[in-house]
Amino acid sequence: MLKSHHNHKRRKSVSVLRTSGVAAATSLLVALAAGAAFAQALPAAQDNPSAVRSGLQSEAATILTLQKAIDLALDSNLDLAVARREIEATQGQVIQGQARPNPELAYSLEDQRAATRTQSVQINLPVEMGGKRAARITAAERGRDIAVEELNLRRVEIRAAVVAAFFETLAAQERAALAGASVDLAKRATDAVAKRVAAGKVSPVEETKARVAEAGVRVELAQAQSEQRNARARLASLLGANPLRFTLVSGNVEELPAVPSFDNVQQRLSASPTLRRMQLEVERRRSLVDVERSKRIPDVTFSLGVKRPNELQRDQLLFGVSVPLPLFDRNQGNLLEALKREDKARDELQALNMRVSTDVLQARERLESIRGEVDVLQRDVLPGAKSAYDAATVGFENGKFNFLEVLDAQRTYFAAKSQYLKALAEAHRTAADIDRVLGEPGANATQPANKE
């Protein structure tokens, strides 16, 4: 009877050990299956980012879209406020340029004796000759046009900066989510291995390797979160003096900007706000030359008044005309300076035209190269990395691979996905650089990237 009781107790302990081993293996398989399901869901998550983040958002979460970010930046950016003040200031130059010379009231007294005293009162009216007023008004108007174009240029630059920062933040947000999912999967695998070690199925060395690998994944998560915080800070700094406190950015980073054609580049380059501002500067310099040239013609001053000698006891009408004689000062120095500054402005326009054309064409080539990189990642790298990850998962389930090989394949897939997101962000940044030089995008439409 004691022997029967001992055998029953032995069978019960063996059953418990078997049950523990099966539970540990089941836990590990469940963790790997969850990781595989997450990896398979990543492409769909890129198609609909809001679906991935729906579980992370709360009712109080503030979602920032691209259009909302652009509107906030254009409404409250301090650089635009400064440019508007400059327009108001140049309007004062136009008003002053339209003003005519003030008349002059003159009074004279001759002789101190009352019997022979003579008093006269007259008004002197200067009359500008040589088109001085028209040239002055034109120069002031060109200055105002430059201020307006400067505001347009700042708008374009701020918009391009917001677009680049927005997609950089969006890509960083997706990379942080990927890193977080990688940490979750690594933790589940570590827990499963720990259970197998406790059951005596594997060596404790395997658990040490698992925890080291998990620590490495956590470092990658910390780096991704740091990049996300920096990107959010850069985006927030562009939204004005009181930036919106947003929790998430919403958009589709895979909606790639198209590469503009050479004809489109040349057409938009002719209307570039950068070149347009320099062209207006050349026109302003030409107007200043006209102003200095008009000063070579002397103004005429007409005088009209009344003179009353006490000896005659009657009023006498006074009329006079005065004209300066340009014998020594013919404004030759100021005219020469204005002419040379006009030549300088023309040379600067040519140099700027060449520099801008080169920068735009280089940016276009870079955008085309990045699109090629994105296509390779979509067509070859991502499918290959995912296939290797799936094969490692199946092999582990069949006992052919250890969990470190599965974890390495999973990290390779996430690394490829992170590289893909960085390439997408770089494509948007390059397209924003093109729009910053060429102005608002016209035919530069966007097209979605191919899905895996």
Side-chain angles (χ1 to χ4, degrees):
M1 182 175 180
L2 291 174
K3 184 177 180 180
S4 176
H5 177 73
H6 177 73
N7 291 337
H8 176 73
K9 184 177 182 181
R10 182 179 179 183
R11 286 195 301 270
K12 183 176 180 182
S13 62
V14 172
S15 177
V16 170
L17 290 176
R18 288 179 179 175
T19 304
S20 301
V22 172
T26 303
S27 300
L28 180 59
L29 291 178
V30 170
L32 292 172
F38 177 79
Q40 293 174 356
L42 279 177
Q46 294 298 327
D47 295 338
N48 188 8
S50 60
V52 177
R53 296 188 292 266
S54 60
L56 303 176
Q57 297 178 10
S58 62
E59 294 183 359
T62 302
I63 300 177
L64 182 66
T65 62
L66 176 59
Q67 189 58 49
K68 187 176 182 180
I70 293 175
D71 293 340
L72 285 172
L74 295 181
D75 288 342
S76 58
N77 191 277
L78 294 180
D79 291 338
L80 295 181
V82 172
R84 294 188 186 97
R85 295 298 185 187
E86 182 64 21
I87 294 177
E88 297 172 358
T90 54
Q91 181 61 31
Q93 295 179 356
V94 175
I95 296 174
Q96 186 61 37
Q98 296 172 347
R100 299 181 182 274
N102 291 323
E104 179 183 296
L105 178 62
Y107 169 80
S108 62
L109 175 65
E110 301 178 15
D111 201 346
Q112 297 181 352
R113 294 174 296 179
T116 59
R117 181 180 301 168
T118 301
Q119 302 180 67
S120 60
V121 178
Q122 64 182 29
I123 294 179
N124 301 323
L125 181 62
V127 178
E128 293 181 313
M129 308 297 292
K132 291 184 179 64
R133 181 171 179 269
R136 188 171 60 247
I137 293 174
T138 302
E141 289 176 345
R142 294 295 80 77
R144 181 186 58 188
D145 295 341
I146 290 176
V148 173
E149 196 62 38
E150 184 70 26
L151 175 61
N152 296 333
L153 179 60
R154 293 301 303 155
R155 286 179 178 272
V156 172
E157 291 176 348
I158 290 173
R159 183 187 185 280
V162 170
V163 170
F166 179 87
F167 283 106
E168 181 182 1
T169 304
L170 184 59
Q173 179 176 279
E174 298 297 337
R175 288 197 300 270
L178 289 174
S182 180
V183 168
D184 292 340
L185 185 58
K187 186 178 184 303
R188 292 173 184 172
T190 302
D191 294 340
V193 172
K195 293 179 181 179
R196 297 188 68 182
V197 170
K201 298 296 183 180
V202 296
S203 170
V205 176
E206 297 295 326
E207 182 179 357
T208 303
K209 293 180 180 180
R211 296 195 181 282
V212 171
E214 180 184 348
V217 176
R218 291 188 181 278
V219 170
E220 295 177 356
L221 174 61
Q223 293 175 348
Q225 290 175 341
S226 177
E227 292 178 359
Q228 182 183 10
R229 288 192 296 269
N230 292 334
R232 287 165 60 91
R234 286 190 292 270
L235 176 59
S237 66
L238 296 172
L239 301 184
N242 298 312
L244 175 68
R245 294 186 178 275
F246 56 92
T247 56
L248 292 172
V249 292
S250 176
N252 187 3
V253 72
E254 290 188 323
E255 194 171 313
L256 285 177
V259 179
S261 63
F262 285 103
D263 293 338
N264 179 258
V265 169
Q266 295 299 327
Q267 181 181 2
R268 295 174 61 189
L269 190 61
S270 60
S272 168
T274 304
L275 295 179
R276 176 59 182 165
R277 183 194 178 283
M278 198 63 212
Q279 291 170 354
L280 289 173
E281 178 63 22
V282 173
E283 296 179 8
R284 188 178 78 89
R285 290 295 177 182
R286 187 185 305 118
S287 300
L288 292 176
V289 170
D290 295 337
V291 170
E292 299 300 333
R293 185 176 286 115
S294 67
K295 291 180 180 179
R296 303 183 66 180
I297 301 176
D299 297 336
V300 178
T301 301
F302 295 94
S303 301
L304 181 64
V306 176
K307 179 179 180 182
R308 183 177 180 84
N310 288 348
E311 294 180 342
L312 299 178
Q313 290 296 314
R314 63 184 182 88
D315 296 334
Q316 297 177 342
L317 181 64
L318 293 178
F319 178 77
V321 177
S322 62
V323 180
L325 298 178
L327 299 179
F328 306 107
D329 182 7
R330 298 187 301 275
N331 203 41
Q332 60 271 27
N334 292 333
L335 178 58
L336 177 61
E337 179 187 2
L339 289 171
K340 295 306 178 182
R341 292 194 181 278
E342 181 186 4
D343 295 339
K344 176 186 175 183
R346 292 182 185 277
D347 294 340
E348 290 176 345
L349 175 60
Q350 293 180 359
L352 181 63
N353 193 2
M354 294 181 59
R355 184 168 63 252
V356 167
S357 300
T358 302
D359 292 344
V360 170
L361 293 179
Q362 289 179 350
R364 180 189 178 278
E365 292 298 328
R366 187 165 65 252
L367 178 59
E368 190 172 9
S369 175
I370 295 173
R371 284 188 62 92
E373 178 185 351
V374 170
D375 291 339
V376 171
L377 288 170
Q378 288 176 338
R379 185 176 60 253
D380 301 327
V381 178
L382 286 177
K386 185 176 185 302
S387 176
Y389 174 53
D390 293 339
T393 303
V394 175
F396 179 80
E397 293 174 354
N398 296 328
K400 297 180 180 180
F401 303 111
N402 58 39
F403 82 99
L404 289 179
E405 293 174 316
V406 179
L407 184 59
D408 182 67
Q410 177 257 342
R411 291 179 63 183
T412 301
Y413 176 69
F414 281 159
K417 201 73 175 180
S418 179
Q419 182 182 2
Y420 172 67
L421 291 172
K422 289 182 178 180
L424 292 175
E426 181 64 24
H428 287 286
R429 186 184 304 109
T430 304
D433 290 338
I434 296 176
D435 293 338
R436 176 180 55 81
V437 176
L438 299 182
E440 295 291 338
N444 191 12
T446 58
Q447 56 188 33
N450 297 326
K451 310 299 177 188
E452 297 178 35

